[in-house]
Amino acid sequence: QLSVTRFLKINEKLFLGAYPKTVQDIQQLKSIGINAILSIQTNDDFNRHDVCQEHFKEVCNQKGIETEVCSIKDMDKQEFI
C-alpha cells in the first residue's frame, strides 16, 4: 500500500498524486513501475514540508527514477502563462 496520499492511476503510463516525501514513498513508487517524476513544487513547498529538494532528486536518481522540477506557484496567474 502506498503511503503517498491522493494518488491516482490515470492510465497504464500516467499517475497523478502528491509528491513523495520520504525515501520509502520513492521506493514504493519505483516498486509499481514509476520511472519518472515531474514535480511542480516550489522551493517554498519543499521547505514547508521539510523536504530537501536536492536530496529528493538524489534519492530518485539512486532509485532509477528520472526527476524534473518545473515549479509553479499556486494561484499565481503569471505562473500559468
Side-chain angles (χ1 to χ4, degrees), residues 58-72:
E58 181 181 314
V59 171
C60 287
N61 187 24
Q62 290 171 354
K63 302 292 182 187
I65 298 176
E66 194 173 332
T67 307
E68 186 67 39
V69 176
C70 181
S71 300
I72 298 175

Side-chain angles (χ1 to χ4, degrees), residues 33-60:
I34 300 296
N35 61 13
I37 294 174
L38 172 62
S39 173
I40 60 171
Q41 303 300 311
T42 64
N43 283 330
D44 288 342
D45 294 329
F46 278 100
N47 292 336
R48 188 174 19 264
H49 295 287
D50 200 29
V51 174
C52 172
Q53 185 179 31
E54 290 306 313
H55 184 252
F56 165 78
K57 290 166 71 175
E58 181 181 314
V59 171
C60 287

Side-chain angles (χ1 to χ4, degrees), residues 4-56:
V4 177
T5 58
R6 297 180 304 223
F7 185 74
L8 176 65
K9 182 176 181 179
I10 305 294
N11 62 38
E12 291 302 314
K13 295 190 175 204
L14 182 62
F15 293 76
L16 177 65
Y19 70 96
K21 297 176 184 81
T22 68
V23 173
Q24 291 79 16
D25 290 344
I26 295 167
Q27 182 59 46
Q28 288 176 334
L29 292 175
K30 179 66 177 177
S31 74
I32 63 166
I34 300 296
N35 61 13
I37 294 174
L38 172 62
S39 173
I40 60 171
Q41 303 300 311
T42 64
N43 283 330
D44 288 342
D45 294 329
F46 278 100
N47 292 336
R48 188 174 19 264
H49 295 287
D50 200 29
V51 174
C52 172
Q53 185 179 31
E54 290 306 313
H55 184 252
F56 165 78

